[in-house]
């Protein structure tokens, strides 16, 4: 009986509630993905790449849930909107790049939705990939009340008027030094701005890693850079929860 009880406790401790969640921002319906480890679990918010919320973000979410985090993968495009062609992806992301205020409001709205789901938004951080990584940095500039901002191969370019002075925590950015979409000059410019404004940050490059080097199964995937960046990211999460 004792062995059975221990086994059942182990099973229940690893269980997680996974489901799609509809929520509204400015009257429009969006659909996120939730992995709920309980009200006391720290929360990680995931911002998707330019192809929308899909299997990649859900896999990363499960990896985080396996480590004890609740996860809310948000939706930047709207429920039922398919970013299934190159033209559509450029259209959807381009509209948000041109309207950073709306980009931030969508993430603010998702944070409210996470709170409505009784997730631990008081102990939350955010991570994004490519377009999502760019969005994360934009959210950081707004002063969002999170315990860490992580960008994987996002756009690091510094635009006129950019400032991180409202930030309330630390930034970590993972970048491939062979990235042809976001050059090393952008990497350096962002590092210099963060240093100038005395913002806690960590920026790491990986040799030979192109843009989107963490995307499993793609031609750009680089196993070594992905695994090293993931290990450091997991350490970063633990550090921000202290």
């Amino acid at each position: 009986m004792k062995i059975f009880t221990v086994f059942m406790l182990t099973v229940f401790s690893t269980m997680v509630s996974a489901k799609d969640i509809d929520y509204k921002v400015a009257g429009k319906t969006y659909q996120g993905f939730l992995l709920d480890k309980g009200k006391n679990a720290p929360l990680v918010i995931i911002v998707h790449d330019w192809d929308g919320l899909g299997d990649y973000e859900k896999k990363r979410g499960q990896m985080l849930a396996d480590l004890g985090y609740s996860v809310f993968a948000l939706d930047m495009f709207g429920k039922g909107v398919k970013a299934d062609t190159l033209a559509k992806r450029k259209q959807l992301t381009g509209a948000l790049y041109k309207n950073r205020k709306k980009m931030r409001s969508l993430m603010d709205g998702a944070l409210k939705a996470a709170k409505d789901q009784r997730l631990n938004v008081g102990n939350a951080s955010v991570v994004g990939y490519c377009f999502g990584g760019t969005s994360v940095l934009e959210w950081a500039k707004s002063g969002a009340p999170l315990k860490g901002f992580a960008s994987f191969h996002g756009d690091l370019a510094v635009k006129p008027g950019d400032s991180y002075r409202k930030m309330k925590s630390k930034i970590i950015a993972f970048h491939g030094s062979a990235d042809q979409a976001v050059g090393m000059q952008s990497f350096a410019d962002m590092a210099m701005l963060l240093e100038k404004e005395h913002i806690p940050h960590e920026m790491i490059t990986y040799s030979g890693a192109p843009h989107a080097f963490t995307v499993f199964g793609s031609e750009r995937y680089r196993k070594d850079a992905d695994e090293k960046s993931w290990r450091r990211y997991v350490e970063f999460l633990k550090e921000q929860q202290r």
Side-chain angles (χ1 to χ4, degrees), residues 93-112:
T93 57
L96 291 174
Y97 284 137
K98 292 176 183 176
N99 189 347
R100 300 295 175 116
K101 182 178 180 180
K102 181 177 180 181
M103 179 186 282
R104 295 191 298 269
S105 72
L106 290 173
M107 292 180 284
D108 289 339
L111 184 62
K112 181 182 182 300

Side-chain angles (χ1 to χ4, degrees), residues 26 39 53 57-58 80 101 164 166 175 221 224:
K39 65 179 181 179
L53 172 54
E57 290 78 20
K58 292 178 180 181
K101 182 178 180 180
Y164 289 87
K166 294 181 180 179
H175 186 69
Y221 181 70
D224 181 62

Side-chain angles (χ1 to χ4, degrees), residues 31-98:
Q31 186 173 77
F33 178 72
L34 171 63
L35 291 159
D36 189 353
K37 295 287 286 189
K39 65 179 181 179
N40 294 322
L43 172 65
V44 178
I45 297 168
I46 297 178
V47 188
H48 58 73
D49 195 358
W50 73 337
D51 55 352
L53 172 54
D55 291 342
Y56 179 78
E57 290 78 20
K58 292 178 180 181
K59 180 176 176 62
R60 290 290 181 186
Q62 185 61 60
M63 291 168 68
L64 289 165
D66 289 343
L67 295 172
Y69 296 91
S70 288
V71 175
F72 188 80
L74 58 79
D75 174 15
M76 296 290 282
F77 298 154
K79 182 177 180 179
V81 176
K82 302 295 184 183
D84 50 5
T85 66
L86 181 61
K88 190 67 173 178
R89 292 168 186 170
K90 288 182 177 180
Q91 174 194 341
L92 291 167
T93 57
L96 291 174
Y97 284 137
K98 292 176 183 176

